[in-house]
Coordinates of all heavy atoms in Angstrom, one line a residue:
L9 N -1.0 13.0 6.2 CA -1.1 12.4 7.5 C -1.8 13.3 8.5 O -2.7 13.0 9.2 CB 0.2 11.9 8.1 CG 0.3 11.4 9.5 CD1 -0.6 10.2 9.7 CD2 1.8 11.0 9.8
A10 N -1.3 14.6 8.5 CA -1.9 15.6 9.4 C -3.3 15.9 9.1 O -4.2 16.1 10.0 CB -1.0 16.9 9.4
E11 N -3.6 15.9 7.8 CA -5.0 16.2 7.4 C -5.9 15.1 7.8 O -7.1 15.3 8.2 CB -5.0 16.4 5.8 CG -6.4 16.7 5.3 CD -7.0 18.0 5.8 OE1 -6.3 18.9 6.1 OE2 -8.3 18.0 5.9
L12 N -5.5 13.8 7.6 CA -6.3 12.7 8.0 C -6.5 12.5 9.5 O -7.6 12.0 9.9 CB -5.7 11.4 7.4 CG -5.9 11.2 5.9 CD1 -5.0 10.0 5.5 CD2 -7.3 11.0 5.5
A13 N -5.6 13.0 10.3 CA -5.6 12.7 11.7 C -6.8 13.4 12.4 O -7.5 12.7 13.2 CB -4.3 13.1 12.4
P14 N -7.3 14.5 12.3 CA -6.6 15.7 11.8 C -5.8 16.4 12.9 O -6.2 16.3 14.1 CB -7.8 16.6 11.4 CG -8.9 16.2 12.3 CD -8.7 14.8 12.6
C15 N -4.7 17.0 12.5 CA -3.8 17.7 13.5 C -3.0 18.7 12.7 O -3.0 18.7 11.5 CB -3.0 16.7 14.3 SG -1.7 15.9 13.3
D16 N -2.2 19.5 13.4 CA -1.3 20.4 12.8 C -0.1 19.6 12.3 O 0.4 18.6 12.9 CB -0.8 21.4 13.8 CG -1.9 22.3 14.2 OD1 -2.8 22.7 13.4 OD2 -1.9 22.7 15.4
P17 N 0.5 19.9 11.1 CA 1.7 19.2 10.6 C 2.8 19.2 11.7 O 3.6 18.3 11.7 CB 2.1 20.0 9.4 CG 0.8 20.6 8.9 CD 0.0 21.0 10.2
E18 N 2.9 20.3 12.5 CA 4.0 20.4 13.5 C 3.8 19.2 14.5 O 4.8 18.8 15.1 CB 3.9 21.7 14.2 CG 4.3 22.9 13.3 CD 3.1 23.4 12.4 OE1 2.0 23.0 12.7 OE2 3.4 24.0 11.4
Y19 N 2.6 18.8 14.8 CA 2.4 17.7 15.7 C 2.9 16.4 15.2 O 3.5 15.6 15.9 CB 0.8 17.5 16.0 CG 0.5 16.6 17.2 CD1 0.9 17.0 18.5 CD2 0.0 15.4 17.0 CE1 0.6 16.2 19.5 CE2 -0.3 14.6 18.0 CZ 0.0 15.0 19.3 OH -0.3 14.1 20.4
V20 N 2.8 16.2 13.9 CA 3.4 15.0 13.2 C 4.9 15.1 13.4 O 5.5 14.1 13.7 CB 3.0 14.9 11.7 CG1 3.7 13.8 11.0 CG2 1.5 14.7 11.6
D21 N 5.5 16.2 13.1 CA 6.9 16.4 13.2 C 7.4 16.1 14.7 O 8.4 15.4 14.9 CB 7.3 17.8 12.9 CG 7.1 18.2 11.4 OD1 7.0 17.2 10.6 OD2 7.0 19.4 11.1
R22 N 6.6 16.5 15.6 CA 6.9 16.3 17.0 C 6.9 14.8 17.4 O 7.8 14.3 18.0 CB 5.9 17.0 17.9 CG 6.2 16.8 19.4 CD 5.3 17.8 20.2 NE 5.4 17.3 21.6 CZ 4.3 17.0 22.3 NH1 3.1 17.1 21.8 NH2 4.4 16.5 23.5
L23 N 5.9 14.1 16.9 CA 5.9 12.6 17.1 C 7.0 11.9 16.5 O 7.6 11.0 17.0 CB 4.5 12.1 16.6 CG 3.3 12.6 17.4 CD1 2.0 12.0 16.8 CD2 3.4 12.3 18.9
V24 N 7.5 12.4 15.3 CA 8.6 11.8 14.6 C 9.9 12.0 15.5 O 10.7 11.1 15.7 CB 8.8 12.3 13.2 CG1 10.1 11.9 12.6 CG2 7.6 11.8 12.3
E25 N 10.0 13.3 16.0 CA 11.2 13.6 16.8 C 11.2 12.8 18.1 O 12.3 12.4 18.6 CB 11.1 15.1 17.2 CG 11.4 16.0 16.0 CD 11.2 17.5 16.3 OE1 11.0 17.8 17.5 OE2 11.2 18.3 15.4
L26 N 10.0 12.5 18.6 CA 10.0 11.7 19.8 C 10.2 10.2 19.6 O 10.3 9.4 20.5 CB 8.6 11.9 20.5 CG 8.4 13.2 21.2 CD1 6.9 13.4 21.6 CD2 9.4 13.5 22.3
G27 N 10.2 9.8 18.3 CA 10.5 8.4 18.0 C 9.2 7.5 18.0 O 9.3 6.3 18.1
I28 N 8.0 8.2 18.0 CA 6.8 7.4 18.1 C 6.6 6.7 16.8 O 6.1 5.5 16.7 CB 5.6 8.4 18.3 CG1 5.8 9.3 19.5 CG2 4.2 7.6 18.3 CD1 5.8 8.6 20.8
F29 N 6.9 7.3 15.7 CA 6.9 6.7 14.3 C 7.9 7.4 13.5 O 8.4 8.5 13.8 CB 5.5 6.6 13.7 CG 4.8 7.9 13.6 CD1 5.2 8.8 12.5 CD2 3.8 8.2 14.4 CE1 4.5 10.0 12.4 CE2 3.2 9.4 14.3 CZ 3.5 10.3 13.3
A30 N 8.2 6.9 12.3 CA 9.1 7.5 11.4 C 8.7 7.3 10.0 O 8.1 6.2 9.7 CB 10.6 7.0 11.6
P31 N 9.0 8.2 9.1 CA 8.7 8.0 7.7 C 9.6 6.8 7.1 O 10.6 6.5 7.7 CB 9.0 9.3 7.0 CG 9.8 10.0 7.9 CD 9.6 9.5 9.3
E32 N 9.1 6.2 6.1 CA 9.9 5.2 5.4 C 11.0 5.9 4.7 O 11.2 7.1 4.7 CB 9.0 4.4 4.4 CG 7.8 3.8 5.0 CD 8.1 2.7 6.0 OE1 9.1 2.0 5.7 OE2 7.4 2.5 7.0
E33 N 11.9 5.1 4.0 CA 13.0 5.6 3.3 C 12.7 6.6 2.2 O 13.4 7.5 2.0 CB 13.9 4.5 2.7 CG 14.6 3.6 3.7 CD 15.4 2.5 3.1 OE1 15.6 2.5 1.8 OE2 15.7 1.6 3.8
D34 N 11.5 6.5 1.6 CA 11.0 7.4 0.6 C 10.4 8.7 1.2 O 10.0 9.5 0.4 CB 10.0 6.7 -0.3 CG 8.8 6.2 0.4 OD1 8.6 6.5 1.6 OD2 7.9 5.6 -0.3
G35 N 10.4 8.8 2.5 CA 9.9 10.0 3.1 C 8.4 10.0 3.4 O 7.9 10.9 4.0
L36 N 7.8 8.9 3.0 CA 6.3 8.8 3.2 C 6.0 8.0 4.4 O 6.8 7.2 4.9 CB 5.7 8.1 1.9 CG 5.8 8.9 0.6 CD1 5.2 8.1 -0.5 CD2 5.2 10.3 0.7
H37 N 4.8 8.2 5.0 CA 4.4 7.5 6.2 C 3.4 6.4 5.8 O 2.7 6.5 4.9 CB 3.7 8.5 7.1 CG 4.6 9.5 7.7 ND1 5.2 9.3 8.9 CD2 5.0 10.7 7.3 CE1 5.9 10.4 9.2 NE2 5.8 11.2 8.2
A38 N 3.4 5.4 6.7 CA 2.4 4.3 6.6 C 1.0 5.0 6.9 O 0.9 5.8 7.8 CB 2.7 3.2 7.6
R39 N 0.0 4.5 6.3 CA -1.4 5.1 6.5 C -1.8 4.8 8.0 O -2.5 5.6 8.6 CB -2.4 4.5 5.6 CG -2.1 5.0 4.1 CD -3.2 4.4 3.2 NE -4.5 5.0 3.4 CZ -4.9 6.2 3.0 NH1 -4.1 7.0 2.4 NH2 -6.2 6.6 3.3
S40 N -1.3 3.7 8.6 CA -1.6 3.4 9.9 C -1.0 4.4 10.9 O -1.5 4.5 12.1 CB -1.1 2.0 10.3 OG 0.3 1.9 10.2
D41 N -0.1 5.2 10.5 CA 0.4 6.3 11.4 C -0.7 7.3 11.8 O -0.6 7.9 12.8 CB 1.6 7.0 10.7 CG 2.9 6.2 10.7 OD1 2.9 5.1 11.4 OD2 3.9 6.6 10.1
V42 N -1.7 7.4 10.9 CA -2.8 8.2 11.3 C -3.4 7.8 12.6 O -3.7 8.6 13.5 CB -3.9 8.2 10.2 CG1 -5.2 8.9 10.6 CG2 -3.4 8.8 8.9
H43 N -3.6 6.5 12.8 CA -4.1 6.0 14.0 C -3.2 6.3 15.2 O -3.7 6.5 16.3 CB -4.4 4.5 13.9 CG -5.4 4.2 12.9 ND1 -6.7 4.6 12.9 CD2 -5.3 3.4 11.7 CE1 -7.3 4.2 11.8 NE2 -6.5 3.4 11.1
L44 N -1.9 6.2 15.0 CA -0.9 6.5 16.0 C -1.0 8.0 16.4 O -1.0 8.3 17.6 CB 0.5 6.2 15.6 CG 1.0 4.8 15.8 CD1 2.4 4.6 15.2 CD2 1.0 4.5 17.3
V45 N -1.2 8.9 15.5 CA -1.3 10.3 15.8 C -2.6 10.5 16.7 O -2.5 11.2 17.7 CB -1.4 11.1 14.5 CG1 -1.8 12.6 14.8 CG2 -0.1 11.1 13.7
R46 N -3.7 9.9 16.3 CA -4.9 10.0 17.0 C -4.7 9.4 18.5 O -5.2 10.0 19.4 CB -6.1 9.3 16.3 CG -6.5 10.0 15.0 CD -7.5 9.2 14.3 NE -7.9 9.8 13.0 CZ -8.7 9.2 12.1 NH1 -9.2 8.0 12.4 NH2 -9.0 9.9 11.0
L47 N -4.1 8.3 18.6 CA -3.9 7.7 19.9 C -3.0 8.5 20.7 O -3.3 8.7 21.9 CB -3.3 6.3 19.7 CG -2.9 5.5 21.0 CD1 -4.1 5.3 21.9 CD2 -2.2 4.2 20.6
M48 N -1.9 9.1 20.2 CA -1.0 9.9 20.9 C -1.7 11.2 21.4 O -1.5 11.7 22.5 CB 0.2 10.3 20.1 CG 1.1 9.1 19.8 SD 1.6 8.2 21.3 CE 1.0 6.5 20.9
G49 N -2.6 11.7 20.6 CA -3.4 12.9 21.0 C -4.3 12.6 22.2 O -4.4 13.4 23.1
A50 N -4.9 11.4 22.1 CA -5.7 11.0 23.2 C -4.9 10.8 24.5 O -5.3 11.2 25.6 CB -6.5 9.7 22.9
L51 N -3.8 10.1 24.4 CA -2.9 9.9 25.5 C -2.5 11.2 26.1 O -2.5 11.4 27.4 CB -1.7 9.1 25.2 CG -2.0 7.6 24.8 CD1 -0.7 6.9 24.3 CD2 -2.6 6.8 26.0
E52 N -2.1 12.1 25.3 CA -1.6 13.4 25.7 C -2.7 14.2 26.4 O -2.5 14.9 27.5 CB -1.1 14.2 24.6 CG -0.2 15.4 25.0 CD 0.5 16.0 23.8 OE1 0.0 16.0 22.6 OE2 1.7 16.4 24.0
Q53 N -4.0 14.1 25.9 CA -5.1 14.8 26.6 C -5.3 14.3 28.0 O -5.9 15.0 28.8 CB -6.3 14.7 25.7 CG -6.4 15.5 24.5 CD -7.6 15.4 23.7 OE1 -8.4 14.5 23.9 NE2 -7.8 16.3 22.8
T54 N -5.0 13.0 28.3 CA -5.2 12.4 29.6 C -4.0 12.7 30.5 O -4.0 12.3 31.7 CB -5.4 10.9 29.5 OG1 -4.2 10.3 29.0 CG2 -6.5 10.5 28.7
G55 N -3.0 13.5 30.0 CA -1.9 13.9 30.8 C -0.6 13.0 30.7 O 0.4 13.2 31.4
I56 N -0.6 12.1 29.8 CA 0.6 11.2 29.6 C 1.6 12.0 28.8 O 1.3 12.6 27.7 CB 0.2 9.9 28.9 CG1 -0.7 9.1 29.8 CG2 1.4 9.1 28.4 CD1 -1.3 7.8 29.2
D57 N 2.8 12.0 29.2 CA 3.9 12.7 28.6 C 4.4 11.9 27.4 O 4.9 10.7 27.6 CB 5.0 13.0 29.6 CG 6.2 13.8 29.0 OD1 6.3 13.9 27.8 OD2 6.9 14.4 29.8
L58 N 4.3 12.4 26.2 CA 4.6 11.7 25.0 C 6.1 11.4 24.9 O 6.5 10.4 24.2 CB 4.1 12.3 23.8 CG 2.6 12.4 23.6 CD1 2.2 13.0 22.3 CD2 2.0 11.1 23.9
S59 N 7.0 12.1 25.6 CA 8.4 11.8 25.6 C 8.6 10.5 26.3 O 9.5 9.7 26.0 CB 9.2 12.9 26.3 OG 8.8 13.1 27.6
D60 N 7.7 10.2 27.3 CA 7.8 8.9 28.0 C 7.4 7.7 27.1 O 8.0 6.7 27.1 CB 6.9 8.8 29.2 CG 7.4 9.8 30.4 OD1 8.6 10.0 30.4 OD2 6.5 10.2 31.2
V61 N 6.4 8.0 26.2 CA 5.9 7.0 25.2 C 7.1 6.7 24.3 O 7.4 5.6 24.0 CB 4.7 7.5 24.5 CG1 4.3 6.5 23.4 CG2 3.5 7.6 25.5
G62 N 7.7 7.8 23.8 CA 8.8 7.7 22.8 C 10.0 6.9 23.4 O 10.5 6.0 22.8
R63 N 10.3 7.2 24.7 CA 11.3 6.5 25.4 C 11.0 5.0 25.5 O 11.8 4.1 25.3 CB 11.6 7.1 26.7 CG 12.8 6.7 27.4 CD 13.2 7.5 28.7 NE 12.1 8.1 29.4 CZ 11.8 9.4 29.2 NH1 12.4 10.2 28.3 NH2 10.8 9.9 29.9
G64 N 9.7 4.7 25.9 CA 9.3 3.3 26.0 C 9.4 2.6 24.7 O 9.7 1.4 24.7
M65 N 9.1 3.2 23.7 CA 9.1 2.6 22.3 C 10.6 2.3 22.0 O 10.9 1.2 21.5 CB 8.4 3.4 21.3 CG 6.9 3.5 21.5 SD 6.0 4.4 20.3 CE 6.1 3.3 18.9
A66 N 11.5 3.3 22.2 CA 12.9 3.1 21.9 C 13.5 2.0 22.7 O 14.4 1.3 22.2 CB 13.7 4.4 22.2
E67 N 13.1 1.8 23.9 CA 13.6 0.7 24.8 C 12.9 -0.6 24.5 O 13.3 -1.6 25.1 CB 13.4 1.1 26.3 CG 14.2 2.3 26.7 CD 13.8 2.8 28.1 OE1 12.9 2.3 28.7 OE2 14.5 3.8 28.5
G68 N 11.9 -0.6 23.6 CA 11.2 -1.9 23.3 C 10.2 -2.3 24.3 O 9.8 -3.5 24.3
A69 N 9.9 -1.4 25.2 CA 8.9 -1.7 26.3 C 7.5 -1.9 25.8 O 6.7 -2.7 26.3 CB 8.9 -0.7 27.4
F70 N 7.2 -1.2 24.7 CA 5.9 -1.4 24.0 C 5.9 -0.9 22.6 O 6.9 -0.2 22.2 CB 4.7 -0.7 24.8 CG 5.0 0.7 25.2 CD1 4.7 1.7 24.3 CD2 5.5 1.0 26.5 CE1 5.0 3.0 24.7 CE2 5.7 2.3 26.8 CZ 5.5 3.3 26.0
S71 N 4.9 -1.3 21.8 CA 4.8 -0.9 20.5 C 3.3 -0.7 20.1 O 2.5 -1.2 20.9 CB 5.5 -1.9 19.5 OG 4.8 -3.1 19.5
F72 N 3.1 -0.1 19.0 CA 1.7 0.1 18.6 C 1.5 -0.4 17.1 O 1.5 0.4 16.2 CB 1.3 1.6 18.7 CG 1.5 2.1 20.1 CD1 2.6 2.9 20.5 CD2 0.5 1.9 21.0 CE1 2.7 3.4 21.8 CE2 0.6 2.4 22.3 CZ 1.7 3.1 22.7
P73 N 1.4 -1.7 16.9 CA 1.3 -2.2 15.5 C -0.2 -2.0 15.0 O -0.8 -3.0 14.7 CB 1.6 -3.7 15.7 CG 1.2 -4.0 17.1 CD 1.4 -2.7 17.9
L74 N -0.7 -0.8 15.0 CA -2.0 -0.5 14.6 C -2.4 -0.9 13.2 O -3.5 -1.2 12.9 CB -2.4 0.9 14.9 CG -2.3 1.4 16.4 CD1 -2.6 2.8 16.5 CD2 -3.1 0.5 17.3
G75 N -1.4 -0.9 12.3 CA -1.6 -1.3 11.0 C -2.1 -2.7 10.8 O -2.6 -3.1 9.7
L76 N -1.9 -3.5 11.8 CA -2.2 -4.9 11.7 C -3.7 -5.2 11.8 O -4.3 -6.2 11.4 CB -1.5 -5.8 12.7 CG 0.0 -5.8 12.7 CD1 0.6 -6.6 13.8 CD2 0.5 -6.4 11.3
F77 N -4.4 -4.3 12.5 CA -5.8 -4.6 12.8 C -6.8 -3.4 12.6 O -8.0 -3.5 12.9 CB -6.0 -5.2 14.2 CG -5.5 -4.3 15.3 CD1 -6.2 -3.3 15.9 CD2 -4.2 -4.5 15.7 CE1 -5.7 -2.6 16.9 CE2 -3.6 -3.8 16.8 CZ -4.4 -2.8 17.3
M78 N -6.3 -2.2 12.3 CA -7.1 -1.0 12.1 C -7.4 -0.8 10.7 O -6.6 -1.1 9.8 CB -6.4 0.2 12.7 CG -6.2 0.2 14.2 SD -7.7 0.3 15.2 CE -8.1 2.0 14.9
P79 N -8.6 -0.3 10.3 CA -8.9 -0.1 8.9 C -8.2 1.1 8.4 O -7.6 1.9 9.2 CB -10.4 0.2 9.0 CG -10.7 0.8 10.4 CD -9.7 0.0 11.3
D80 N -8.2 1.3 7.1 CA -7.6 2.5 6.5 C -8.3 3.7 7.1 O -9.5 3.8 7.2 CB -7.8 2.4 5.0 CG -6.5 2.3 4.2 OD1 -5.4 2.1 4.9 OD2 -6.5 2.4 3.0
P81 N -7.5 4.7 7.5 CA -8.1 5.9 8.1 C -8.9 6.7 7.0 O -8.5 6.8 5.9 CB -6.9 6.7 8.6 CG -5.8 6.2 7.8 CD -6.1 4.8 7.4
E82 N -9.9 7.4 7.5 CA -10.7 8.3 6.7 C -10.3 9.7 7.1 O -9.9 9.9 8.3 CB -12.2 8.1 6.9 CG -12.6 6.7 6.3 CD -14.1 6.6 6.5 OE1 -14.9 7.5 6.2 OE2 -14.6 5.5 6.8
G83 N -10.6 10.7 6.3 CA -10.3 12.1 6.6 C -11.4 12.7 7.4 O -12.2 12.0 8.0
T84 N -11.6 14.0 7.2 CA -12.6 14.7 7.9 C -13.8 14.8 6.9 O -13.7 14.7 5.7 CB -12.2 16.1 8.3 OG1 -11.8 16.9 7.1 CG2 -11.0 16.1 9.3

Side-chain angles (χ1 to χ4, degrees):
L9 173 59
E11 180 63 30
L12 287 169
C15 70
D16 296 323
E18 294 80 19
Y19 192 70
V20 171
D21 295 340
R22 180 172 165 237
L23 295 177
V24 169
E25 288 171 13
L26 290 171
I28 307 293
F29 56 78
E32 302 294 327
E33 290 180 16
D34 59 5
L36 299 177
H37 290 271
R39 293 184 66 81
S40 61
D41 286 350
V42 171
H43 299 299
L44 272 175
V45 171
R46 292 174 180 173
L47 176 61
M48 294 305 119
L51 291 175
E52 195 167 38
Q53 284 180 350
T54 65
I56 294 174
D57 186 340
L58 295 186
S59 61
D60 292 335
V61 174
R63 191 171 27 264
M65 292 181 76
E67 294 170 358
F70 50 84
S71 65
F72 301 100
L74 299 177
L76 299 177
F77 56 88
M78 295 292 286
D80 245 7
E82 296 183 37
T84 61

